[in-house]
Amino acid sequence: MNVFRLTGDLSHLAAIIILLLKIWKSRSCAGISGKSQFLFAIVFTTRYLDLFSSFISLYNTCMKVIYIGCSYATVYLIYLKFRATYDGNHDSFRVEFLVVPVGGLSVLINHDFSFLEILWTFSIYLESVAILPQLFMISKTGEAETITTHYLFCLGMYRALYLFNWIWRFYFEGFFDMIAIVAGVVQTVLYCDFFYLYVTKVLKGKKLSLPA
């Protein structure tokens, strides 16, 4: 494992912990897109079905279990535990516009036309756009809490670091996965505008505001 993958995984884990702590400590899921979190739960479920069929390493297995468990814990907190604080009116992105095209694309373009491979490809494509309901919600409300922006920044850093991971693996291991790389680039691009606002406003102690 190279340093970019490790730091990327840690950044991803930090994002998940930040979000869970935010919801639990404030007893509120205000400003959090339940639709994005539900899409992430689908991503991890479809990607890690190989938990039941293969073992790579203890680290790999633990991270998979953590991602799946935390994603469903977040969905539970938003839609059940703190449902009264969930802002469904602003979380109005039509997720079927993401899931249906991604599903079709994963059947058409994959490494191997098998059930698990199609589900893995589906998860890669879906993860690249799963954050859109959250970004749409922020743009609709016009602002975001600082803790929410920290979550998004860590999530974006995870994806950016994984791009360097792919570069490292190509040069030092000869490994190249076009599907993962293209999806990763798309996902990173979606964060670019947010990164700029984060650095210029949030890190200077200003509240992040976006045009509605």
Side-chain angles (χ1 to χ4, degrees), residues 134-148:
Q134 179 66 67
L135 296 178
F136 179 77
M137 187 177 185
I138 292 176
S139 67
K140 195 171 182 180
T141 59
E143 60 183 29
E145 296 180 18
T146 299
I147 193 69
T148 304

Side-chain angles (χ1 to χ4, degrees), residues 29 72-86:
C29 55
Y72 280 101
T74 305
V75 170
Y76 165 76
L77 291 178
I78 293 174
Y79 286 107
L80 294 175
K81 182 73 174 178
F82 303 120
R83 183 178 181 178
T85 65
Y86 170 56

Side-chain angles (χ1 to χ4, degrees), residues 33-136:
S33 169
K35 291 184 177 181
S36 271
Q37 297 309 312
F38 182 69
L39 290 179
F40 282 125
I42 295 176
V43 166
F44 298 134
T45 301
T46 53
R47 182 176 303 172
Y48 298 142
L49 286 177
D50 62 350
L51 272 171
F52 302 101
S53 60
S54 62
F55 176 81
I56 299 175
S57 68
L58 181 60
Y59 171 83
N60 184 273
T61 299
C62 288
M63 293 302 286
K64 289 177 180 180
V65 172
I66 290 172
Y67 289 153
I68 294 174
C70 288
S71 66
Y72 280 101
T74 305
V75 170
Y76 165 76
L77 291 178
I78 293 174
Y79 286 107
L80 294 175
K81 182 73 174 178
F82 303 120
R83 183 178 181 178
T85 65
Y86 170 56
D87 187 3
N89 291 327
H90 286 122
D91 192 17
S92 57
F93 192 95
R94 299 286 296 277
V95 295
E96 59 268 29
F97 292 156
L98 301 178
V99 176
V100 174
V102 162
L105 187 62
S106 63
V107 172
L108 294 173
I109 304 176
N110 51 67
H111 295 309
D112 177 44
F113 196 77
S114 64
F115 180 68
L116 286 180
E117 186 64 28
I118 290 174
L119 287 181
W120 178 88
T121 306
F122 172 80
S123 76
I124 295 296
Y125 292 152
L126 185 60
E127 185 183 20
S128 69
V129 294
I131 200 61
L132 281 176
Q134 179 66 67
L135 296 178
F136 179 77

